[in-house]
């Protein structure tokens, strides 16, 4: 399907695919190859993954709202490349409703994450418990492989990050990063993950 849509489409000059998992089987031997991947650790285009603080402030001001600490703690905190970004979906819903609430976490099901937690190995479980206890965890992350093609702890952390449940605070080694929960909106979702985790 992607080959026909992207490589055989003569009128198409450029295409952009977005999502939370890398395209499966995208390699030199597949029908879809030579794809440029811009993950959350790349600096190029990082400001387009969400709203910058300046954009958020300007948007809120336009609607007679203020960018205060409560808004920052609720929707800020995503570290993409060199930028810290706000969740655009949540900010737009906050503007529309004029009420600080959890908006983004209800945009999709978290069953994929729950199933992954259920089948995770002891390395992931130790990292998960450290994250909950300390507020951060130092883990190996693989953002370049699809979790469903390579079911490992490093690709599971990658899925959490790509899905927006976690963010990278900083790099501490080769493919090793300090991860955190980005904001209070996502902390709410982690309470559900935690409850599910301890029921296993």
């Amino acid at each position: 399907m992607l080959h026909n849509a992207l490589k055989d489409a003569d009128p198409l000059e450029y295409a952009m695919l977005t999502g939370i998992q890398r395209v499966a089987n995208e390699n030199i031997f597949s029908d879809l190859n030579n794809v440029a991947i811009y993950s959350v650790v790349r600096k190029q285009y990082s400001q387009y993954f969400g709203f910058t603080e300046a954009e958020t402030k300007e948007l809120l001001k336009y609607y007679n709202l203020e960018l205060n600490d409560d808004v920052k703690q609720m929707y800020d905190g995503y570290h993409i490349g060199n930028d810290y970004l706000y969740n655009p979906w949540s900010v737009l819903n906050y503007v529309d409703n004029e009420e600080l609430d959890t908006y983004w976490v209800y945009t999709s099901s978290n069953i994929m994450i729950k199933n992954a937690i259920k089948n995770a190995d002891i390395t992931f479980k130790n990292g998960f418990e450290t994250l909950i206890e300390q507020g951060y965890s130092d883990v190996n992350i693989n953002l370049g492989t699809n979790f469903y093609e390579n079911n490992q702890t490093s690709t599971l952390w990658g899925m959490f990050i790509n899905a927006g449940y976690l963010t990278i605070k900083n790099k501490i080694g080769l493919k090793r990063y300090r991860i955190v929960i980005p904001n209070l909106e996502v902390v709410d979702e982690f309470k559900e993950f935690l409850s599910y985790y301890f029921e296993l």
Side-chain angles (χ1 to χ4, degrees):
M1 177 188 79
L2 291 174
H3 179 271
N4 292 338
L6 300 175
K7 297 193 88 174
D8 285 345
D10 290 335
L12 182 68
E13 186 172 353
Y14 297 103
M16 181 178 75
L17 299 173
T18 64
I20 66 166
Q21 285 287 276
R22 189 164 175 155
V23 176
N25 295 315
E26 169 267 309
N27 63 50
I28 194 170
F29 301 111
S30 73
D31 278 347
L32 182 66
N33 56 15
N34 301 322
V35 177
I37 305 293
Y38 296 94
S39 73
V40 297
V41 295
R42 299 258 324 247
K43 296 173 188 172
Q44 193 175 8
Y45 307 118
S46 61
Q47 72 271 25
Y48 302 115
F49 278 72
F51 289 162
T52 65
E53 184 157 319
E55 290 169 334
T56 304
K57 188 173 186 177
E58 185 178 342
L59 175 68
L60 295 180
K61 184 178 178 184
Y62 182 86
Y63 287 99
N64 299 314
L65 295 167
E66 182 187 352
L67 179 56
N68 56 30
D69 285 342
D70 291 337
V71 174
K72 286 177 83 115
Q73 289 175 9
M74 195 69 167
Y75 306 126
D76 189 17
Y78 289 98
H79 186 212
I80 313 290
N82 284 337
D83 296 298
Y84 280 93
L85 301 172
Y86 288 74
N87 182 318
W89 177 258
S90 300
V91 170
L92 291 173
N93 276 278
Y94 170 61
V95 165
D96 189 41
N97 295 301
E98 297 185 15
E99 184 176 339
L100 285 174
D101 204 348
T102 53
Y103 299 108
W104 171 78
V105 295
Y106 300 115
T107 59
S108 64
S109 168
N110 62 19
I111 193 68
M112 185 170 68
I113 298 282
K114 284 183 173 178
N115 285 338
I117 290 173
K118 183 166 75 173
N119 297 313
D121 65 16
I122 191 66
T123 305
F124 175 83
K125 291 178 179 179
N126 289 339
F128 187 81
E129 288 176 12
T130 300
L131 175 68
I132 300 304
E133 290 167 10
Q134 295 181 175
Y136 70 90
S137 190
D138 296 337
V139 298
N140 291 330
I141 298 172
N142 184 343
L143 295 165
T145 304
N146 186 308
F147 172 72
Y148 293 101
E149 287 185 307
N150 186 358
N151 185 344
Q152 294 182 343
T153 296
S154 60
T155 57
L156 178 52
W157 287 123
M159 185 170 70
F160 265 88
I161 289 162
N162 288 332
Y165 291 105
L166 295 171
T167 194
I168 293 171
K169 184 166 183 167
N170 57 297
K171 186 171 184 172
I172 57 176
L174 186 63
K175 293 195 175 185
R176 192 158 179 82
Y177 300 87
R178 176 161 290 181
I179 56 172
V180 296
I181 300 171
N183 53 46
L184 291 179
E185 181 178 37
V186 183
V187 165
D188 229 26
E189 186 75 349
F190 260 83
K191 290 176 185 172
E192 184 180 338
F193 287 147
L194 197 57
S195 169
Y196 178 79
Y197 177 78
F198 284 115
E199 285 173 9
L200 295 176

